[in-house]
Amino acid sequence: MDFVAILSIFVMACFVGYYVVWSVTPALHTPLMAVTNAISSVIIVGALIAGAAAGSASSKWLGLLGVVLASINIFGGFAVTSRMLAMYKKKDRPAPAKH
Amino acid sequence: MEHATAGSSFAALAYLVAGVCFILALRGLSSPTLSQRGNRFGMIGMTIAVVTTLVTHVPMQAVGLVLTGPSGVVSATGPLFARIDFVTVLEILAAIGIGAVIGITTARRIAMTDMPQLVAAFHSLVGLAAVLVACAAFLNPIAFGIADMVIPMIGQPFAAIHGVSRIEMGLGVAIGAITFSGSVIAFLKLNGNMGGKPIMLPGRHVINLAVLAAILLLIAYFTQDQSAWIFWTITILSFAIGFLLIIPIGGADMPVVVSMLNSYSGWAAAAMGFTLHNSAMIITGALVGSSGAILSYIMCRAMNRSFISVIAGGFGAVADTSGGGDKIDRPWKRGSAEDAAFLMSQAEQVVIVPGYGMAVAQAQHVLREMADKLKEHGVRVKYAIHPVAGRMPGHMNVLLAEANVPYDEVFELEDINSEFAQTDVAFVIGANDVTNPAAKTDKTSPIYGMPVLDVEKAKTVLFIKRSMGGVGYAGVDNDVFYMDNTMMLLADAKKMVEDIVKSLD
């Protein structure tokens, strides 16, 4: 892909992001932060490439450390989002017994 | 990446699908009913991205004279003598496993009141991961397909990194490092390891601008000269500026800071996506970047402050000395838990206004019990949430959801503000500045112009506060305390609500 092609994807994605995020209900802004945090860990792709590449031992170890950090985020981010979202309940449904 | 093989176009397509899944993940958050499905889309997208990378970048081990080519693809070098490097495969899987265990354990154990700290900590990890990837790319640019081997007339052959890639790497490492050190400070402040008060360095604006200018100049110079010292100086200066930018910002401005760092973590991912020509990373980076930016904007608007003034920091650092004396002497009424219980049980409608103090006191569960008791008395109970109540966007909503408060009883400022005039009791728990009518009337007040909840219009205001001495974050007195129809309930929020629940029996 040439630079202009990726720049186009980027600019379009910014617009998509703008409209999608404005439609998020304010009550879910904390889960929104948690899930955006999880998906921004897609940076793991770069860490995996570095970890898998031969040629530089230091680059490989930096990559592996990056994989650990990004994985903490991916698993932690999605798990905590899911935990939060499970708590949002409507009035009509009888709430499960607690306490 | 320059080889347009079947494998690489499959990979590009898979990354695009992953990017679309991430869009759907955010789209799902438009309503609580669809949100779990959205979250699953996010997980699917991430799985696609990771598996695609693992499959297209299988670690190879050179045997004999064979050199491993760009991206470790065998076809790039042609010869037969390369085999899968199983040790590295295991190391990668172990790295993912370690991260999974730490991540899932943390996510399960964390208390909902600690969510702002957790999010800040997670942001710091994204930032650090971006820095590590950029460093790895700098050390081994051939593996990332961003450099050409140059064999000079004299000296060693070296990998010349493409000019555009140098800018992308420089920006990526700078934004990543700022995200990391900024998030660490935000975490320490939110977690209470560091005072919430702004720390002001003399001449900090000059220092910050100078460091920022130096980073940008170095990135520009980096395109001409790929010496290691330039790259490492950019990294170190960026760590420093992240630290310097966040220390002067006070505790209650944290919603803006956390959102801003959220945005930065996205831009860091996008910058690395440009380096790797990876559409999943670019789409995600743009989504997260705009998401954080929009949240920062919403938070700033809710405080009627400009983004610049928040970033400049120091808000609430100067104690309000003007006319502090005469305010202390103004008469106010003190109530007991029994009074509060009686007033609310007689009411037709009670609107609860929670704030950061509720989170600190962990009072959300007992508050829900109180609401249940009131409903048994035939009282209509609603919750009014100010956008900046708490320490991060939506903080109060999550805590109320945790306490099993149905989300259709919880209202945003603009949806409920007109109802206070028809409300019998406004019950303020742990909030202060967001109810201050001075924001509407007093042009000299530091919070003038900030949208506030009109609690003073209710027939009675019950205001839980620890003591009369302290002022809100903005350092301004609140006229609501001294109104005839206000009753101050001076106690720890949780203790007071527990007593009210007992009195309601």
Side-chain angles (χ1 to χ4, degrees):
Chain A
M1 275 191 286
D2 62 350
F3 181 72
V4 177
I6 29 183
L7 189 64
S8 319
I9 296 179
F10 177 70
V11 173
M12 292 302 151
C14 284
F15 279 95
V16 172
Y18 179 85
Y19 288 106
V20 168
V21 172
W22 271 116
S23 74
V24 171
T25 165
L28 292 178
H29 276 163
T30 297
L32 171 70
M33 300 203 94
V35 82
T36 50
N37 184 74
I39 65 173
S40 62
S41 305
V42 72
I43 195 124
I44 195 174
V45 167
L48 287 170
I49 294 174
S56 161
S58 45
S59 168
K60 178 186 155 179
W61 288 108
L62 288 176
L64 285 176
L65 185 57
V67 172
V68 174
L69 298 182
S71 302
I72 296 177
N73 251 310
I74 292 170
F75 287 93
F78 283 125
V80 86
T81 309
S82 154
R83 197 180 135 200
M84 276 192 275
L85 293 177
M87 298 185 312
Y88 283 81
K89 290 183 192 76
K90 252 186 132 112
K91 192 156 32 184
D92 322 337
R93 221 182 305 158
K98 220 179 164 186
H99 301 293
Chain B
M1 313 270 149
E2 59 274 21
H3 307 275
T5 61
S8 72
S9 59
F10 153 76
L13 210 58
Y15 287 129
L16 189 63
V17 173
V20 172
C21 285
F22 294 144
I23 296 174
L24 294 173
L26 297 198
R27 184 76 190 103
L29 293 172
S30 57
S31 94
T33 40
L34 296 173
S35 56
Q36 284 284 15
R37 204 178 66 190
N39 199 33
R40 278 194 288 277
F41 269 117
M43 296 183 207
I44 293 169
M46 192 58 77
T47 312
I48 294 174
V50 169
V51 170
T52 307
T53 315
L54 288 174
V55 170
T56 52
H57 292 82
V58 179
M60 285 302 185
Q61 201 173 28
V63 178
L65 292 170
V66 179
L67 291 168
T68 308
S71 340
V73 181
V74 190
S75 62
T77 51
L80 306 163
F81 307 103
R83 62 168 186 231
I84 294 177
D85 178 359
F86 285 105
V87 177
T88 307
V89 172
L90 283 177
E91 282 166 351
I92 290 174
L93 295 178
I96 296 177
I98 294 170
V101 171
I102 301 176
I104 292 177
T105 324
T106 317
R108 289 231 176 106
R109 290 207 183 142
I110 193 87
M112 281 299 142
T113 37
D114 294 338
M115 202 48 73
Q117 292 92 301
L118 181 74
V119 168
F122 277 168
H123 287 159
S124 75
L125 295 182
V126 178
L128 192 55
V131 172
L132 293 175
V133 172
C135 293
F138 178 71
L139 294 171
N140 193 3
I142 294 286
F144 285 79
I146 55 169
D148 299 314
M149 283 308 283
V150 174
I151 302 166
M153 302 283 272
I154 31 172
Q156 294 287 316
F158 67 96
I161 305 171
H162 304 150
V164 177
S165 302
R166 291 187 202 178
I167 298 183
E168 293 157 358
M169 271 168 66
L171 285 176
V173 77
I175 303 170
I178 293 172
T179 311
F180 172 72
S181 54
S183 300
V184 167
I185 302 297
F187 170 83
L188 293 175
K189 288 197 173 199
L190 289 165
N191 205 32
N193 305 97
M194 198 173 161
K197 283 270 170 220
I199 298 167
M200 318 287 271
L201 293 176
R204 60 195 156 73
H205 294 313
V206 180
I207 299 174
N208 291 353
L209 287 175
V211 176
L212 275 177
I215 292 171
L216 291 176
L217 284 174
L218 281 170
I219 292 174
Y221 186 52
F222 189 49
T223 59
Q224 302 304 314
D225 177 358
Q226 66 171 58
S227 305
W229 73 268
I230 303 175
F231 185 79
W232 300 120
T233 313
I234 294 172
T235 314
I236 291 165
L237 285 180
S238 305
F239 278 127
I241 191 74
F243 174 79
L244 290 170
L245 277 175
I246 308 300
I247 49 166
I249 303 181
D253 278 342
M254 280 301 146
V256 181
V257 170
V258 175
S259 315
M260 184 184 83
L261 293 167
N262 183 244
S263 178
Y264 289 177
S265 70
W267 303 130
M272 294 322 296
F274 272 99
T275 310
L276 299 177
H277 292 200
N278 184 300
S279 56
M281 283 166 88
I282 293 170
I283 293 174
T284 314
L287 288 177
V288 179
S290 25
S291 163
I294 290 172
L295 289 176
S296 316
Y297 168 76
I298 294 174
M299 294 299 115
C300 286
R301 189 181 58 181
M303 294 192 287
N304 190 39
R305 307 207 17 227
S306 74
F307 188 67
I308 299 292
S309 85
V310 173
I311 296 308
F315 192 70
V318 202
D320 182 39
T321 47
S322 59
D326 59 317
K327 282 169 185 160
I328 301 297
D329 301 331
R330 290 162 67 182
W332 49 277
K333 273 188 294 198
R334 179 169 188 163
S336 67
E338 290 78 28
D339 301 333
F342 176 76
L343 273 167
M344 283 194 284
S345 60
Q346 301 300 310
E348 208 168 293
Q349 171 159 299
V350 171
V351 175
I352 298 172
V353 180
Y356 183 57
M358 179 190 80
V360 174
Q362 302 264 14
Q364 66 271 29
H365 296 283
V366 65
L367 187 68
R368 206 271 340 258
E369 275 179 55
M370 185 189 91
D372 287 349
K373 284 269 186 326
L374 288 174
K375 282 186 221 162
E376 284 168 22
H377 283 84
V379 182
R380 198 163 56 245
V381 181
K382 290 181 177 174
Y383 298 80
I385 311 284
H386 192 279
V388 291
R391 285 292 186 265
M392 73 184 291
H395 192 186
M396 291 298 121
N397 302 77
V398 171
L399 294 182
L400 293 177
E402 185 201 12
N404 268 328
V405 172
Y407 62 80
D408 35 13
E409 286 179 10
V410 182
F411 296 88
E412 302 301 319
L413 178 133
E414 58 266 34
D415 298 325
I416 198 153
N417 232 1
S418 59
E419 279 194 37
F420 279 106
Q422 290 92 49
T423 298
D424 302 288
V425 179
F427 186 81
V428 184
I429 170 167
N432 185 355
D433 292 335
V434 298
T435 64
N436 195 337
K440 290 175 283 189
T441 51
D442 181 5
K443 284 199 170 128
T444 62
S445 171
I447 57 169
Y448 180 73
M450 166 173 148
V452 285
L453 290 158
D454 299 333
V455 291
E456 77 278 2
K457 290 192 180 146
K459 286 200 192 78
T460 310
V461 182
L462 296 174
F463 211 112
I464 299 190
K465 206 167 176 303
R466 224 184 290 254
S467 70
M468 283 307 281
V471 285
Y473 171 69
V476 280
D477 208 359
N478 191 341
D479 283 337
V480 172
F481 302 160
Y482 313 105
M483 293 189 325
D484 285 340
N485 57 342
T486 300
M487 192 184 273
M488 299 302 294
L489 307 170
L490 299 185
D492 170 71
K494 191 174 178 186
K495 178 85 181 45
M496 176 54 76
V497 180
E498 278 168 357
D499 290 346
I500 294 175
V501 170
K502 278 188 209 127
S503 310
L504 279 170
D505 282 328

